[in-house]
Amino acid sequence: MINIEVVLSPALLHLTNVKDCNVVVIDILRATSTICTAIHEGAVSVKAVKTPADALKLKELGYLTAAERDGLKLPGFDLGNSPFDCMNGMVTGKHIALTTTNGTKCIEAVAGSGPRNVLSGSFLNLEALAGWLVNDGHDIVLLCAGWKDSFNLEDTLFAGALAESVKRKAPCRIDCDGTLMAMDLYGCASGNISKFLEKSSHYKRLSHLHHEEDMKFCLQHSVFEDIVGLVDGDMKKI
Ligand code: MLT
């Protein structure tokens, strides 16, 4: 049986053994949705890097640079953290170096702890990802990026949606209260996820910055089939 654990914030990651697990990093608004979009739009890879300086170093090697802090694109970078920055051929055939406030930090943080795979989670590829996880059959850790080490609603909601979908497809063991809570939260919100999230802090933060279209895009359900995961240190189609 596949065990499913939810880590509600990166600050709690040290409490969970991720060794040999399929870890799904979740930053629904917007980093992991944008990574899935970039790969869907034909980017060869997305490298999650810690700092803007790390991203700029990779520009010399031909990478497109992408940087966001506190919801804003940083000046001097090719791209921000919007899925729309990856459209209209902008990233096709390119390698991208991306740094964001929370999402890319989680990818880096978990990569060194011996996971079987590190995958990028999004509503955009939810059903395909759930199917892939079931076929692979290993235990699953759903790592919510949250906001600066705090819990957030949108990542937890997605963790619940993914856990539900995996559970529908295969026998699972769910003894983790975080997973049970995330599934209940998804149950409360599934009728209208956008409406439910309007009260959340990051929804308000991004609305204030006029990123409503980004949120609408990121909350679309299962419109991509691509599975995106770490291969030799870069997020790629797997
Ligand atoms: C993050 O990594 O914290 C985010 O994706 C923030 C954002 O740009 O919405």
Side-chain angles (χ1 to χ4, degrees):
M1 274 214 282
I2 302 174
N3 190 60
I4 308 180
E5 278 199 48
V6 171
V7 178
L8 295 167
S9 138
L12 300 173
L13 181 58
H14 66 284
L15 302 174
T16 299
N17 184 3
V18 301
K19 200 158 167 25
D20 297 326
C21 292
N22 283 320
V23 179
V24 180
V25 176
I26 303 169
D27 187 350
I28 291 307
L29 301 175
R30 298 164 288 171
T32 54
S33 300
T34 296
I35 291 170
C36 288
T37 305
I39 298 299
H40 179 75
E41 291 286 323
V44 180
S45 70
V46 181
K47 187 184 274 303
V49 296
K50 217 173 245 156
T51 67
D54 293 336
L56 287 175
K57 268 185 227 146
L58 290 167
K59 195 173 178 79
E60 292 155 26
L61 300 178
Y63 281 70
L64 281 178
T65 59
E68 167 275 340
R69 286 294 181 272
D70 295 326
L72 290 169
K73 173 181 185 284
L74 296 188
F77 288 79
D78 301 311
L79 315 168
N81 187 26
S82 165
F84 291 104
D85 290 353
C86 304
M87 293 176 189
N88 304 319
M90 266 301 284
V91 301
T92 311
K94 304 282 189 189
H95 297 272
I96 303 170
L98 171 68
T99 180
T100 70
T101 310
N102 304 285
T104 55
K105 278 186 195 149
C106 284
I107 295 170
E108 270 218 301
V110 79
S113 307
R116 176 174 171 80
N117 287 290
V118 177
L119 301 143
S120 188
S122 73
F123 279 106
L124 300 165
N125 68 346
L126 190 156
E127 283 303 321
L129 180 56
W132 187 95
L133 291 164
V134 167
N135 280 340
D136 193 66
H138 281 70
D139 289 345
I140 298 169
V141 175
L142 305 178
L143 171 58
C144 301
W147 183 259
K148 299 186 180 177
D149 280 350
S150 289
F151 164 95
N152 76 13
L153 279 180
E154 66 275 15
D155 295 341
T156 310
L157 191 57
F158 174 79
L162 187 57
E164 279 289 349
S165 180
V166 170
K167 187 172 157 251
R168 235 184 296 120
K169 297 178 194 333
C172 291
R173 187 182 333 108
I174 300 177
D175 291 330
C176 162
D177 283 6
T179 311
L180 294 168
M181 189 268 285
M183 290 166 80
D184 280 352
L185 186 69
Y186 177 62
C188 291
S190 58
N192 191 342
I193 288 172
S194 305
K195 186 84 199 136
F196 184 87
L197 287 177
E198 277 175 12
K199 58 178 168 279
S200 72
S201 53
H202 197 46
Y203 194 100
K204 287 182 189 153
R205 184 180 297 112
L206 292 180
S207 294
H208 186 68
L209 297 170
H210 309 293
H211 293 323
E212 285 91 349
E213 286 306 311
D214 283 18
M215 292 191 280
K216 204 167 151 196
F217 182 86
C218 292
L219 296 177
Q220 294 176 99
H221 203 297
S222 300
V223 290
F224 299 162
E225 293 294 318
D226 316 84
I227 306 300
V228 178
L230 267 187
V231 181
D232 299 329
D234 288 340
M235 290 305 239
K236 291 184 174 168
K237 192 181 285 213
I238 57 174

